Amino acid sequence: MSSPVSISDFNKLPTNPGVSPMTPEQSQGSFWSSNPISSYVLETYRQVNAHRQGLVLTNPGTVENLNKEVSRDVFLTQYFFTGLRADLNKAFSLNPAFQTSHTFSIGSTSLPNYAFSALFADDNLFMQGNIDNDYSLSGRLNYGWDKNNISKANLQIANGQPTMVQLEQDYQASDFSINLKTLNPQFSSKGVFSGVAVGSLLQSITPNLSLGLEALYSRTQPSTPADAGVSYLTRYVSTKKDWIFSGQLQANGALIASFWRKITPNVEAGIETTLQAGMIPITDPMVGTPIGVQPTVEGSTTIGAKYEYRQSIFRGVLDSNGKIACFLERKILPTLSVLFCGEIDQFKQESKLGCGLQFETAGNQELLMMQQGLDSDGNPLQTPPSI
């Protein structure tokens, strides 16, 4: 008579060669792997992801900095001013960074007579605030949740102007970047959005080429119709990173193409061309009344160069509208710089001139020695040779 079989005896049964029992994780995912639709989607995703990893793509940067090498580094957009100007900057610490600045100006149409600003920054947080003699307040706050996610907020309260609030979220992955921002967002009682909302995506296609889209949605009032548009972006960086091309086809019909070239380690050049399509009215020469519209294309080209030396930086630009402008920053002392900028409009027979001084002081002896080109032991810091 045979003995009864217990449940533990089944665990002693031999298994098939090469076959292992399913784990709880595998049993839970068996539905997605056995379903024909989901399995096809998962397999396609794995193939695309494996192909992306094989391309060795890099982060293309943000849409905001699509052509920064030309518009910010070479051209004078961020530097030009008129009248007399004096800046007094004082740094109290380096890590975390804390700095204050006083700006005085006379005869300028864009700068206030006096402005005070303060800056604080560490590894994750960046804060900057500014107030002028008209009590106009502006502030910026950036917080990095991790190396990929950054939240930004800008606030501007100007005397006699509407308040401006901008919220922004920036995500940068290994081979693409996404940016979402909104300007003065409001929701009515019925949930209707008013304001401006912008979303952009920049994706690396190859290690050198990036393509992107930027969508804009705006509505001034809940009762007014909304406007929307899509812009197309591209950016190409050479293998040696000595030249960069960027292009934008904006929603309003404008085409912007930029080219940046690093000629020598101390010399950079850039060119930017803008084409704008539009419509102009056609009037009857006899009566003077409008009889229709005619399509037109207007364009302009700007070329510029940047020369960077040991003690000075020179920028010069020339555009097709007859404007010639230059900006020179000369460091006389480690803590004193002289600024000079000028512009001549050949077609309008106008000229502009700006001169300024920039002082930099330190709050302690260590920072003062670094500004004077000395390390903590009093030895000279390594600097590139002068041209």
Side-chain angles (χ1 to χ4, degrees), residues 131 133 151 168 206 241 287 346:
I131 187 171
N133 57 289
S151 298
E168 184 176 352
T206 68
K241 297 183 179 181
V287 185
Q346 302 290 344

Side-chain angles (χ1 to χ4, degrees), residues 95-113:
N95 190 16
F98 179 65
Q99 176 180 323
T100 61
S101 176
H102 303 267
T103 301
F104 304 88
S105 65
I106 299 176
S108 176
T109 57
S110 58
L111 296 176
N113 295 332

Side-chain angles (χ1 to χ4, degrees), residues 44-360:
T44 303
Y45 172 78
R46 295 191 186 99
Q47 293 178 359
V48 172
N49 189 52
H51 180 69
R52 288 172 54 189
Q53 297 295 333
L55 293 176
V56 193
L57 301 177
T58 59
N59 184 274
T62 61
V63 174
E64 182 182 4
N65 297 327
L66 187 71
N67 61 342
K68 72 177 184 65
E69 290 82 5
V70 176
S71 61
R72 299 185 183 182
D73 296 343
V74 176
F75 289 175
L76 311 182
T77 308
Q78 306 289 331
Y79 307 96
F80 190 83
F81 65 94
T82 58
L84 300 178
R85 174 179 177 179
D87 297 331
L88 177 59
N89 304 324
K90 185 173 183 178
F92 294 90
S93 64
L94 291 178
N95 190 16
F98 179 65
Q99 176 180 323
T100 61
S101 176
H102 303 267
T103 301
F104 304 88
S105 65
I106 299 176
S108 176
T109 57
S110 58
L111 296 176
N113 295 332
Y114 170 76
F116 171 79
S117 62
L119 181 147
F120 176 85
D122 58 12
D123 296 336
N124 301 321
L125 180 64
F126 175 86
M127 296 187 299
Q128 184 180 21
N130 180 82
I131 187 171
D132 59 20
N133 57 289
D134 294 330
Y135 301 104
S136 297
L137 177 65
S138 62
R140 182 172 56 165
L141 172 65
N142 297 352
Y143 184 79
W145 303 95
D146 50 41
K147 64 179 182 179
N148 299 327
N149 285 283
I150 301 178
S151 298
K152 304 177 182 179
N154 293 340
L155 173 65
Q156 182 176 349
I157 303 176
N159 190 11
Q161 298 181 6
T163 303
M164 189 275 291
V165 176
Q166 178 177 302
L167 304 177
E168 184 176 352
Q169 179 65 35
D170 193 12
Y171 177 77
Q172 299 189 27
S174 59
D175 59 352
F176 69 91
S177 62
I178 297 177
N179 181 270
L180 301 174
K181 67 178 64 174
T182 177
L183 178 64
N184 290 342
Q186 295 181 1
F187 290 91
S188 64
S189 58
K190 298 182 180 180
V192 180
F193 172 83
S194 62
V196 179
V198 182
S200 60
L201 168 66
L202 193 60
Q203 171 71 58
S204 293
I205 306 300
T206 68
N208 306 100
L209 178 63
S210 303
L211 300 178
L213 293 172
E214 185 177 58
L216 183 143
Y217 176 90
S218 65
R219 185 195 295 267
T220 56
Q221 299 292 335
S223 58
T224 59
D227 295 331
V230 179
S231 302
Y232 303 92
L233 316 168
T234 182
R235 177 181 170 92
Y236 186 88
V237 182
S238 65
T239 304
K240 297 182 179 180
K241 297 183 179 181
D242 56 351
W243 64 269
I244 299 174
F245 170 81
S246 62
Q248 304 179 47
L249 179 58
Q250 298 181 353
N252 58 359
L255 177 63
I256 303 176
S258 302
F259 180 80
W260 173 84
R261 174 75 177 184
K262 194 171 189 64
I263 302 174
T264 66
N266 302 92
V267 180
E268 305 174 11
I271 183 172
E272 182 176 275
T273 299
T274 302
L275 297 177
Q276 176 66 59
M279 307 292 289
I280 58 175
I282 302 176
T283 59
D284 189 346
M286 301 297 295
V287 185
T289 59
I291 59 177
V293 293
Q294 178 182 358
T296 181
V297 177
E298 298 180 355
S300 63
T301 300
T302 304
I303 184 172
K306 173 186 175 182
Y307 299 82
E308 185 173 357
Y309 304 106
R310 180 181 179 183
Q311 299 292 336
S312 62
I313 299 177
F314 175 80
R315 293 177 172 89
V317 296
L318 169 66
D319 63 12
S320 58
N321 297 323
K323 292 183 180 180
I324 303 176
C326 65
F327 178 85
L328 174 64
E329 179 181 356
R330 172 69 178 179
K331 186 176 288 295
I332 300 177
L333 298 173
T335 58
L336 176 62
S337 301
V338 176
L339 310 177
F340 172 82
C341 56
E343 179 185 274
I344 300 177
D345 194 328
Q346 302 290 344
F347 294 166
K348 297 182 180 180
Q349 298 297 320
E350 296 178 353
S351 61
K352 299 178 182 179
L353 184 65
C355 298
L357 295 175
Q358 193 173 69
F359 302 89
E360 297 181 4

